[in-house]
Amino acid sequence: MKDSTNMNSLVYDDLCQVCVIGMEHLKKNNGMENTKFVKGSSKEGKQLIEFSQEKADSVLYFKGSTLLVKSDAIIQILIDRGGFYRLARILRIIPVSIRDKFYESFAKRRHRIKFHP
């Protein structure tokens, strides 16, 4: 049984198909057992977004008492996922301002990306 006091929380945009597919992939693979996946449109998701004082268009990763957003959140999620995903650590050599510009550019367009089975 998971100890909820040691759980991380990951708030994602459940209206974004790319985001939902990414979260489903993380949920069904090992490495994220201590992470609670929270839909941004849920009551809890809205509360966490409000608490974070971040815009709702960013992924939020509450890792312990630390809040990570945008590219920092994505990189830490990949590191926590484990395996070869830990190589994402090398992306930290890129200044956060540059990484976040790429993140924001993708975030603006993510709702236009559609996957067809």
Side-chain angles (χ1 to χ4, degrees):
M1 185 162 91
K2 297 176 187 175
D3 178 6
S4 62
T5 60
N6 294 324
M7 293 288 287
N8 300 320
S9 293
L10 196 163
V11 183
Y12 66 98
D13 180 356
D14 55 308
L15 304 176
C16 161
Q17 194 175 16
V18 173
C19 306
V20 170
I21 289 170
M23 294 308 120
E24 290 301 320
H25 175 74
L26 288 172
K27 284 183 203 177
K28 70 180 180 180
N29 291 290
N30 294 330
M32 301 299 289
E33 295 86 6
N34 290 330
T35 301
K36 181 177 183 181
F37 294 84
V38 181
K39 296 177 179 180
S41 66
S42 70
K43 182 178 178 182
E44 182 180 7
K46 290 176 183 177
Q47 289 172 338
L48 288 169
I49 292 167
E50 185 177 331
F51 172 79
S52 74
Q53 299 180 354
E54 290 291 326
K55 292 192 298 184
D57 66 347
S58 176
V59 63
L60 304 177
Y61 189 40
F62 293 87
K63 182 171 173 64
S65 62
T66 303
L67 170 62
L68 300 160
V69 297
K70 299 183 181 180
S71 64
D72 282 335
I74 298 296
I75 291 169
Q76 190 61 54
I77 290 164
L78 292 172
I79 292 167
D80 289 353
R81 167 61 179 86
F84 78 91
Y85 291 100
R86 288 181 290 181
L87 294 174
R89 180 174 280 128
I90 197 158
L91 295 173
R92 288 186 174 153
I93 65 171
I94 301 169
V96 70
S97 60
I98 294 172
R99 291 192 328 249
D100 282 351
K101 288 285 184 207
F102 281 102
Y103 178 91
E104 290 163 3
S105 177
F106 173 77
K108 286 179 187 174
R109 295 166 179 80
R110 72 182 186 264
H111 289 281
R112 292 185 235 159
I113 301 170
K114 302 293 181 202
F115 293 94
H116 302 284

